[in-house]
Amino acid sequence: MLNFENLDKANFLGVGKYNTPIIQPEHIDVRHLEWIPFNFAKTCTDCATKGVHFFVDDYQFQRVWNQPDRYIPLLQKFGAVCAPDFSMYTDMPLAMQIYNHYRKHWLAAYWQQCGIHVVPTLCWSNEQSYDWCFDGEPQHSIVAISSVGTQQNKQNQTLFEKGVRAALARLEPSEILWYGKCPEEFDWNVTRIQPYYARVKRRCENGR
């Protein structure tokens, strides 16, 4: 077994032309979970009542790829964990986009193998990415989507909404865990992840 890029730990059966590791479908009751960003996971209490998302800058969670086994015991404490949201910008080299898609799926599959409930996180860049960016994602499962950074202008909004439509058509998710502004068109069976800093601010203002 090759001893780099985590292939010494696991080499999963893949699908699609890039052999993307498969994420198994999950049917989790996420409505009772309070969602926190990964960079607050280590100091979290009552972990079983919380979920962890990765809708933060990549440098905040690059470590889960660099040292995956170190974070397994931590993530196992939580009620559910979103697959890591490695960036796939339209101006990134295609090879890096595919690599980030692979890393997301390898970690999600590895976490599921370790008994962690994983919510698949859907990511894409432009329409050309539809050829591979949904490979390995489960059908008829809860999924997570972030719209943060996609609503600054009409062009970005249109590109994002096309991607959501493509994802819904192909995967037919049972529920969406949504982070950021949700366009009215997709506001069905959506559970919103409230920004953690906003919740902390409200608690401070209320003296809690």
Side-chain angles (χ1 to χ4, degrees), residues 70-85:
R70 179 178 179 181
Y71 294 94
I72 294 297
L74 173 64
L75 296 177
Q76 285 175 331
K77 297 178 182 179
F78 289 88
V81 175
C82 288
D85 183 43

Side-chain angles (χ1 to χ4, degrees), residues 2 45 54 56 84 94 104 114 128 135 164 202:
L2 297 175
T45 58
F54 292 81
V56 293
L94 177 59
K104 174 184 73 171
C114 295
Q128 286 68 44
D135 289 345
V164 176
R202 284 198 302 269

Side-chain angles (χ1 to χ4, degrees), residues 125-164:
S125 57
N126 52 28
E127 293 180 64
Q128 286 68 44
S129 71
Y130 303 168
D131 289 340
W132 51 266
C133 70
F134 303 125
D135 289 345
E137 308 289 5
Q139 288 187 309
H140 314 300
S141 168
I142 185 171
V143 300
I145 293 176
S146 171
S147 61
V148 173
T150 67
Q151 305 296 301
Q152 302 99 323
N153 56 61
K154 189 63 178 177
Q155 181 179 3
N156 286 348
Q157 291 175 10
T158 299
L159 194 64
F160 173 74
E161 290 169 8
K162 283 183 178 179
V164 176

Side-chain angles (χ1 to χ4, degrees), residues 24-195:
Q24 298 301 320
E26 296 269 15
H27 301 282
I28 309 163
D29 182 7
V30 298
R31 297 179 188 274
H32 71 285
L33 295 177
E34 179 182 3
W35 290 87
I36 64 171
F38 172 72
N39 50 316
F40 284 90
K42 276 192 173 182
T43 58
C44 178
T45 58
D46 299 324
C47 297
T49 66
K50 295 179 173 64
V52 175
H53 70 78
F54 292 81
F55 300 128
V56 293
D57 292 332
D58 289 30
Y59 77 89
Q60 298 272 21
F61 59 88
Q62 177 68 29
R63 47 193 156 149
V64 300
W65 173 255
N66 293 339
Q67 297 178 293
D69 289 335
R70 179 178 179 181
Y71 294 94
I72 294 297
L74 173 64
L75 296 177
Q76 285 175 331
K77 297 178 182 179
F78 289 88
V81 175
C82 288
D85 183 43
F86 289 110
S87 296
M88 291 202 308
Y89 298 117
T90 55
D91 57 353
M92 289 174 68
L94 177 59
M96 184 172 290
Q97 295 181 37
I98 296 168
Y99 176 60
N100 280 349
H101 180 66
Y102 169 83
R103 292 197 295 167
K104 174 184 73 171
H105 277 255
W106 189 95
L107 283 168
Y110 193 56
W111 292 344
Q112 287 186 321
Q113 182 175 277
C114 295
I116 298 168
H117 293 295
V118 178
V119 177
T121 299
L122 306 185
C123 309
W124 57 89
S125 57
N126 52 28
E127 293 180 64
Q128 286 68 44
S129 71
Y130 303 168
D131 289 340
W132 51 266
C133 70
F134 303 125
D135 289 345
E137 308 289 5
Q139 288 187 309
H140 314 300
S141 168
I142 185 171
V143 300
I145 293 176
S146 171
S147 61
V148 173
T150 67
Q151 305 296 301
Q152 302 99 323
N153 56 61
K154 189 63 178 177
Q155 181 179 3
N156 286 348
Q157 291 175 10
T158 299
L159 194 64
F160 173 74
E161 290 169 8
K162 283 183 178 179
V164 176
R165 292 189 201 102
L168 296 182
R170 177 160 172 178
L171 303 175
E172 299 179 343
S174 58
E175 185 178 357
I176 299 176
L177 190 61
W178 196 287
Y179 186 74
K181 182 180 178 181
C182 183
E184 184 176 350
E185 176 184 352
F186 308 114
D187 194 3
W188 59 273
N189 205 18
V190 167
T191 298
R192 287 179 172 81
I193 298 177
Q194 298 298 324

